[in-house]
Amino acid sequence: MGRVRMRMAVLGSGSGGNATILESGNTRILIDAGLSAKQIVLRLEMLGVDPDSLTGLVLTHEHSDHARGVDVFLRKRRIPLFANAMTKEALEWNLKSDIEWKVFQTGQGFQLGGLHVHPFPIPHDAAEPVGFVVEQGGTRFGLVTDVGYITQAMRSHLKGSHAIFVESNYDEDMLEADTKRPWSTKQRIASRHGHLSNTQAGELLADVGCGLLQGVVLGHLSGDCNCPDLATKTVQGLLDHGGLDHVKVLCAQQDAPTEWLEFGTESKPGVALDGDLIQTELF
């Protein structure tokens, strides 16, 4: 088996805050900073990552559960912040830190250290929300979160990924039976302006998955209308039905980081990348 090309871990995911670390070689990027700066530092250190060693911080959109830690985290760190123009405009008026902004164009890829990052549009009630595909040396990682429905752009960009992080917010039966939420809120959650269900996430993964796909991480699980066991069972079942029973399914938590998920292998020119999923424990 060849050398592992990338690894990722989710620091936390849910309505209380979202952040993901992706590493390849000497390049480490943090995707979103929705946790407090204190928790971002603590959880990076739990994973053996020096917060000051980050190559860049990249934002999907400006909502607080994806960006609340930006200001304090960057107050004493000269780490560039990558965002598109509308996300920058929505955030910068409320930031006190001297931010080193790097503005990208949605739909146009850019280089961040040794990684090529391609932002693509997703449907969400934010200024200019994006998902990301990150590539290096033929290895591909895809991330989509906070989406109400699946678009063809999402499908086309995620195809060929070795690992994918995707929202899997609710179970349909649990949402319908929930007594805490009014009918109007339930309708919004399940609408095109809401979130993806376990079934929708599984159908997306089964659609875009191929022999290269080694692992998926499910995120943004509802604390009331979902649970890790149910989300994993639903998505794994749909993957198995699609002939992707080799794919490992993990669930991100709100209060603790996941273990590292390593994926992608070295290959000779002209040989398709493939390889086994490797999981490593927290340091």
Side-chain angles (χ1 to χ4, degrees):
M1 186 174 67
R3 180 171 61 85
V4 170
R5 296 301 302 244
M6 286 188 195
R7 65 178 187 169
M8 62 82 67
V10 180
L11 305 187
S13 184
S15 58
N18 299 270
T20 299
I21 179 75
L22 179 67
E23 179 182 292
S24 182
N26 295 322
T27 302
R28 297 185 180 96
I29 65 173
L30 189 67
I31 303 175
D32 287 336
L35 303 169
S36 69
K38 180 179 179 180
Q39 283 298 315
I40 291 172
V41 170
L42 176 64
R43 298 184 195 193
L44 284 173
E45 290 176 344
M46 289 174 67
L47 290 162
V49 177
D50 177 359
D52 295 330
S53 71
L54 293 177
T55 312
L57 196 166
V58 187
L59 295 180
T60 59
H61 62 291
E62 78 278 6
H63 287 170
S64 63
D65 60 331
H66 291 260
R68 74 163 54 89
V70 167
D71 200 10
V72 176
F73 183 72
L74 294 181
R75 193 156 294 172
K76 297 181 179 179
R77 295 180 177 87
R78 200 61 181 170
I79 298 169
L81 177 61
F82 292 77
N84 56 36
M86 294 295 288
T87 300
K88 176 178 182 288
E89 182 177 335
L91 274 177
E92 63 180 341
W93 67 274
N94 200 34
L95 298 180
K96 299 177 182 178
S97 300
D98 182 18
I99 304 293
E100 182 185 347
W101 289 98
K102 300 289 185 180
V103 178
F104 61 75
Q105 293 184 18
T106 300
Q108 183 172 322
F110 60 92
Q111 200 70 21
L112 204 174
L115 299 173
H116 182 78
V117 182
H118 187 88
F120 57 91
I122 61 171
H124 187 48
D125 58 350
E128 193 181 349
V130 296
F132 292 110
V133 167
V134 185
E135 296 184 88
Q136 193 245 351
T139 299
R140 187 178 182 93
F141 169 70
L143 179 145
V144 288
T145 183
D146 284 41
V147 292
Y149 63 97
I150 298 165
T151 66
Q152 188 55 43
M154 288 167 56
R155 291 189 181 94
S156 62
H157 283 98
L158 294 176
K159 280 186 181 294
S161 295
H162 291 78
I164 297 174
F165 175 85
V166 65
E167 172 185 69
S168 188
N169 183 252
Y170 65 94
D171 171 76
E172 291 93 335
D173 292 336
M174 289 183 69
L175 178 63
E176 184 176 351
D178 181 38
T179 59
K180 298 180 181 179
R181 290 173 171 81
W183 179 83
S184 59
T185 301
K186 295 180 184 182
Q187 288 294 104
R188 184 192 178 282
I189 291 171
S191 74
R192 290 167 67 89
H193 300 288
H195 296 279
L196 294 184
S197 69
N198 296 337
T199 301
Q200 288 172 312
E203 289 174 345
L204 171 64
L205 292 165
D207 184 29
V208 304
C210 62
L212 295 177
L213 185 61
Q214 298 165 13
V216 301
V217 181
L218 308 178
H220 226 301
L221 273 67
S222 168
D224 298 320
C225 300
N226 209 351
C227 68
D229 288 345
L230 186 54
T232 301
K233 181 180 179 181
T234 302
V235 171
Q236 190 81 64
L238 287 163
L239 287 170
D240 291 352
H241 183 71
L244 298 169
D245 55 346
H246 65 280
V247 178
K248 179 68 176 180
V249 180
L250 305 174
C251 281
Q253 305 175 57
Q254 182 66 88
D255 300 324
T258 65
E259 69 263 29
W260 284 107
L261 177 68
E262 299 184 345
F263 54 93
T265 59
E266 200 103 48
S267 70
K268 296 179 181 179
V271 179
L273 290 172
D274 204 344
D276 297 324
L277 175 74
I278 301 172
Q279 295 177 56
T280 56
E281 299 299 326
L282 293 178
F283 295 153

